[in-house]
Amino acid sequence: RAQPRFPSRVAEWRYRRPMVDDPELASHLVSSGRVTPAALRHARLLATSFDGLRGGGPPLRTCLVDLGYLEEDALAHELARLTGHGVWEGARADSVVKQPESLRIPDVRVVGREGQTLHYATLDPRSTEEAHALRLATGARQLVPWIATRERLWEAAQESEATTAQPTAELASEAARVPDRSAHEAHLDEEGPLVRLVNMLLMDTARNGVLRL
């Protein structure tokens, strides 16, 4: 069966979720006038062309965006209207939250914590699998999802990596300023016995004030 042409972002989709038709979102987008029924059929045709691949294909929302029928920001706001959750506009440089080391969920970022309440950004807040994994990784009792675009999640990941790498670079710079004791000792070993004797006498004179011969 011939494969339809599609942008590279669909081709690079990490097949980690089964294909979900998402009739709830599809009906909302059509009724709100964001997409036409013809655009919806085209996106479903693309999504179903991945049937049979291990892990399934991209969600319907990804196909709609990558086919150019819907802007990702518009999708995020329509999903917010459908679910009642807020849209995450991205983190400031001074408010980047360190991600839990045990958290291994693509397209999910922890964006804040208040006691036992965890705020996180995700593409779709309706995912129960993500919520379960977050509770296991963080121990949070209450989760507050925020809807994000792929671009904002990617930017947050890059900012987090830059923040993590900065202390490492500072430690490496500090280590470079510390004198190399082994090199200094090797230099002393290269000196002859007479030079070492003179150095010893000078040090003894400096301590006792008397040169003993």
Side-chain angles (χ1 to χ4, degrees), residues 2-8 10 42 46 49 66-67:
Q3 297 289 334
R5 296 179 61 84
F6 47 84
S8 59
V10 171
H42 187 192
L46 172 60
S49 69
D66 290 340
L67 285 171

Side-chain angles (χ1 to χ4, degrees), residues 4-38:
R5 296 179 61 84
F6 47 84
S8 59
R9 282 184 295 175
V10 171
E12 295 169 0
W13 172 261
R14 290 166 293 185
Y15 300 104
R16 60 184 179 86
R17 296 176 180 172
M19 193 286 161
V20 179
D21 182 38
D22 204 345
E24 182 184 24
L25 178 61
S27 175
H28 174 79
L29 292 174
V30 172
S31 62
S32 63
R34 287 291 186 178
V35 298
T36 64

Side-chain angles (χ1 to χ4, degrees), residues 3-4 37 45 80 103 120 132 158 179 183 197:
Q3 297 289 334
L45 176 63
L103 184 62
Y120 70 98
H132 179 66
Q158 297 301 307
L197 175 61

Side-chain angles (χ1 to χ4, degrees), residues 176-188:
R177 292 194 292 267
V178 176
D180 189 350
R181 299 292 300 175
S182 60
H184 178 65
E185 293 172 357
H187 175 69
L188 292 178

